[in-house]
Amino acid sequence: MDQRLKDLTRGYRERMNRLAIFEPLYELDRKLGKDQRGNPIDWFSLGLLALLFFFESMLTRRRQTSVRDLAQYLQAVNATGPIASDEAGFLKMAREIIETFRDASGKKKEKSFYNWETRRREQIYYSLLEVRESNLAQNIQYYRLTERGLELIFATKEYYSEFHLSINQLVLRKQLEKGELNGALREIDEMSIAVEELRRKMLQLNHEVQRNIISHETQSKYVKMLDEIHARLAREHEEFNELHGFVLETKKKFEYELHSEKERRAYGLLIEIAKELEMVHHQHRTLLDESISLKRKAMQAARESLYHAGLTAFNFNQDITSRVMTSPLPTLAVQGLVRPFLGPHLEKSWSPLEVFAPQRLNKAGAEEEWETGYFPEAATDLDEESFFLCQRANYKAIAGFIRELMGERTLIELSEVAAALGQQEDRRHWLEHRSFYDFWLLLHQYSPVKAAAGNREDRAANLLDEIMASWPEALAIEVQEKESLLQPTQRYEIQEMILQVRMKPDAISQ
């Protein structure tokens, strides 16, 4: 049998344990009681109401919740409901519900099943309610939900379904760290299902956008929804990239340790994991692109809807022509009324190079190249390669100084760096050098700057790698601008910026 089919039964007892807590509700559903009008009682829904009542008692820290309290709640919530019964009837219902959730003798409920993982019959013991305290003088017991009862409450509500894929990504990373490669493959399959479900939702949303946008308010609602979807997809896309890099690093480690059959088999699983993860990532990237296209469709649908609505409601002869001809309006008012229906204003301008350039006097058809004017670029004494090496050395020195100035801190302002440079005789001239300001502008342009991935070849990326080398324990460097302006020297002026270093989790824990 295929190894993945064998792994289907892993954790079978845990899954059965989660299903067993639903049995008391179905046991209630099998009851055949009737109310005073002879109508059948919906015991299943009453059981869920009782669980919610005990859960609310825990939230409000009400320590004493008895059978009579439950009966009074059921009677109050059924004031205009379908059950015809008096106080004694609801008290009897409350007792039957509590006895179903918890045996009167105090014994836990038992679920017997065959465990296909261990190949033997096993039992699960659980209880949804427990006695918190008793009043022996009045013969009253007070109940509360057990841990299993709370699990049942939480299982009846969907919490944050939009984070399913993010949860799958976190679980996958943990499985890879622990070496549970078979479970990792299964987690990727669940991620594929989650991506496909998200695709169906986006397709349905696409139809709703084209059909339902008929006003600015509706458009705003859908645009906000699409912005949230796009932000979530972008966050998941970033996590996919990190997962892919983690898998490649793990695979490289295994390449040097293929000594035993177990290690070779694990390496084969890693190759399959990398391939499956790339397929799911590709599907997810497609959804990210579609979310942008879907937002564009929403804007287009809104424009078309508003345009057609305007055409239907607007009559040019009645609203414009008759208004101008029949009412003695001043000239400025007429201009304001007519201006929206005129063409846009065209401002003609010429380049000085074209105005003062010599006239083209060659005849038509003559094969003669005509040079167009251009502004000359600033000259430099260094060639391109020498300039790059010089800039790289400057950035390395600036990053090292900032790292030394920050110490154990993770945040520093540009003004603080400039002030520190101004106090040092041997480094004060840095403020007169263009490289110092290009350093901050480059970081701000590419913020957040992440650790080198090892495959960046362009010049800007190499400069960023040189800067990141000063923070080997950093996950990323972020530079954000502020409103104030700085003028460290008479020659240069730059906007205030904040440099923040986001450390790796392992570096923080150390």
Side-chain angles (χ1 to χ4, degrees):
M1 185 186 295
D2 184 12
Q3 182 62 37
R4 295 181 64 173
L5 292 178
K6 291 181 180 179
D7 291 337
L8 283 178
T9 57
R10 289 183 61 184
Y12 190 83
R13 179 184 177 85
E14 181 182 354
R15 295 179 185 275
M16 187 61 71
N17 196 19
R18 294 182 182 278
L19 289 174
I21 57 178
F22 286 88
E23 283 206 349
L25 287 176
Y26 291 102
E27 185 179 340
L28 278 174
D29 195 38
R30 290 191 290 269
K31 289 183 177 293
L32 303 176
K34 295 184 178 181
D35 62 7
Q36 295 177 352
R37 297 185 188 140
N39 298 322
I41 298 175
D42 186 0
W43 288 97
F44 190 96
S45 62
L46 286 179
L48 182 57
L49 273 178
L51 290 173
L52 293 173
F53 173 72
F54 284 112
F55 180 60
E56 183 64 23
S57 297
M58 295 180 70
L59 292 179
T60 55
R61 294 176 174 82
R62 188 169 57 188
R63 300 180 58 86
Q64 297 182 344
T65 308
S66 64
V67 177
R68 188 169 297 279
D69 294 325
L70 175 59
Q72 291 174 355
Y73 167 72
L74 294 178
Q75 187 175 8
V77 80
N78 186 68
T80 58
I83 302 175
S85 183
D86 53 10
E87 183 179 349
F90 280 106
L91 183 60
K92 182 180 178 182
M93 294 178 206
R95 285 200 178 97
E96 291 196 33
I97 291 172
I98 290 179
E99 289 175 2
T100 304
F101 289 157
R102 177 188 180 276
D103 192 273
S105 62
K107 292 176 59 179
K108 290 188 175 181
K109 303 185 77 65
E110 178 182 349
K111 169 67 177 176
S112 179
F113 69 101
Y114 183 77
N115 191 333
W116 290 94
E117 182 181 11
T118 60
R119 300 289 177 173
R120 63 173 182 267
R121 195 152 197 87
E122 298 180 4
Q123 287 77 33
I124 293 174
Y125 299 95
Y126 65 94
S127 179
L128 302 183
L129 288 178
E130 63 182 1
V131 176
R132 182 166 194 162
E133 56 185 71
S134 302
N135 187 334
L136 298 179
Q138 300 181 9
N139 194 22
I140 299 176
Q141 289 183 325
Y142 302 105
Y143 302 93
R144 70 174 178 184
L145 289 176
T146 63
E147 183 178 349
R148 304 308 308 280
L150 288 173
E151 287 181 18
L152 178 54
I153 286 293
F154 293 140
T156 58
K157 183 176 181 180
E158 183 66 34
Y159 286 92
Y160 309 113
S161 60
E162 63 270 22
F163 293 111
H164 276 174
L165 189 57
S166 298
I167 294 172
N168 287 133
Q169 290 173 331
L170 292 174
V171 173
L172 176 61
R173 177 179 282 274
K174 287 297 181 183
Q175 288 174 331
L176 291 174
E177 291 174 353
K178 294 180 180 180
E180 299 177 0
L181 301 183
N182 290 321
L185 272 175
R186 188 162 190 84
E187 199 68 33
I188 293 176
D189 291 339
E190 293 184 7
M191 290 164 65
S192 179
I193 295 174
V195 170
E196 187 60 32
E197 181 64 25
L198 185 56
R199 180 186 298 278
R200 285 197 293 267
K201 289 182 179 179
M202 288 185 62
L203 182 61
Q204 180 182 357
L205 187 60
N206 184 19
H207 296 323
E208 291 182 6
V209 164
Q210 295 178 344
R211 184 175 61 247
N212 295 340
I213 292 185
I214 57 175
S215 65
H216 180 71
E217 291 75 12
T218 312
Q219 178 210 4
S220 301
K221 183 189 75 172
Y222 279 109
V223 168
K224 181 180 179 181
M225 188 185 306
L226 291 171
D227 285 339
E228 292 175 354
I229 291 175
H230 179 75
R232 173 161 56 96
L233 289 173
R235 184 175 60 250
E236 293 167 353
H237 173 70
E238 184 177 349
E239 182 65 26
F240 267 122
N241 287 332
E242 295 184 4
L243 277 174
H244 189 65
F246 183 77
V247 171
L248 292 181
E249 290 179 6
T250 308
K251 189 158 70 73
K252 287 181 180 179
K253 293 179 182 178
F254 270 89
E255 288 177 353
Y256 302 101
E257 301 177 358
L258 301 178
H259 305 303
S260 64
E261 179 64 27
K262 180 179 179 181
E263 290 171 345
R264 285 191 289 271
R265 188 165 57 250
Y267 183 73
L269 284 174
L270 274 174
I271 294 176
E272 188 175 355
I273 287 172
K275 182 179 70 174
E276 295 288 337
L277 184 62
E278 181 59 33
M279 292 176 61
V280 176
H281 190 189
H282 174 71
Q283 297 172 1
H284 190 271
R285 274 198 304 267
T286 305
L287 289 184
L288 185 59
D289 296 338
E290 289 178 358
S291 68
I292 301 174
S293 175
L294 190 56
K295 183 177 180 180
R296 192 163 53 247
K297 285 183 180 179
M299 302 296 289
Q300 181 65 24
R303 283 194 294 267
E304 292 179 357
S305 174
L306 295 176
Y307 174 73
H308 289 294
L311 286 180
T312 304
F314 179 72
N315 187 306
F316 188 86
N317 290 330
Q318 177 181 347
D319 298 334
I320 301 299
T321 307
S322 62
R323 182 81 173 91
V324 173
M325 297 301 178
T326 59
S327 301
L329 296 176
T331 305
L332 291 178
V334 173
Q335 290 179 355
L337 187 64
V338 177
R339 185 172 296 160
F341 305 97
L342 302 178
H345 174 69
L346 297 179
E347 181 69 32
K348 292 185 178 182
S349 59
W350 299 270
S351 167
L353 295 175
E354 295 294 335
V355 173
F356 298 105
Q359 297 296 313
R360 190 184 302 234
L361 301 176
N362 57 320
K363 296 181 180 180
E367 295 183 359
E368 180 181 352
E369 293 185 0
W370 187 269
E371 294 184 1
T372 57
Y374 63 93
F375 288 106
E377 295 182 358
T380 176
D381 297 334
L382 301 176
D383 58 15
E384 184 178 354
E385 185 63 28
S386 300
F387 176 76
F388 168 72
L389 294 176
C390 179
Q391 194 80 323
R392 185 171 181 175
N394 292 340
Y395 284 8
K396 182 178 180 180
I398 296 171
F401 174 75
I402 295 176
R403 173 63 193 269
E404 179 184 352
L405 184 62
M406 291 176 66
E408 298 296 328
R409 293 183 294 164
T410 60
L411 189 143
I412 194 169
E413 293 187 353
L414 191 158
S415 56
E416 183 181 349
V417 178
L421 286 175
Q423 296 173 1
Q424 299 188 13
E425 291 289 341
D426 57 335
R427 291 173 175 165
R428 186 177 300 168
H429 65 281
W430 289 11
L431 297 175
E432 300 288 345
H433 203 284
R434 174 67 183 266
S435 296
F436 177 74
Y437 305 95
D438 287 343
F439 173 89
W440 290 91
L441 294 176
L442 182 69
L443 282 178
H444 180 266
Q445 180 182 0
Y446 286 90
S447 179
V449 180
K450 297 189 176 180
N455 58 352
R456 306 198 287 201
E457 298 179 357
D458 61 301
R459 291 293 175 87
N462 284 328
L463 292 174
L464 293 173
D465 292 343
E466 191 66 43
I467 296 172
M468 289 297 295
S470 298
W471 284 275
E473 73 280 10
L475 180 65
I477 294 178
E478 295 181 356
V479 173
Q480 296 181 351
E481 62 183 7
K482 297 180 69 176
E483 293 183 359
S484 57
L485 291 176
L486 301 177
Q487 191 171 10
T489 64
Q490 293 183 354
R491 183 180 181 186
Y492 292 108
E493 185 178 67
I494 189 171
Q495 200 157 357
E496 173 71 292
M497 297 186 187
I498 298 177
L499 185 147
Q500 183 175 10
V501 181
R502 286 181 16 215
M503 297 297 184
K504 297 178 182 177
D506 52 352
I508 296 175
S509 60
Q510 292 175 2

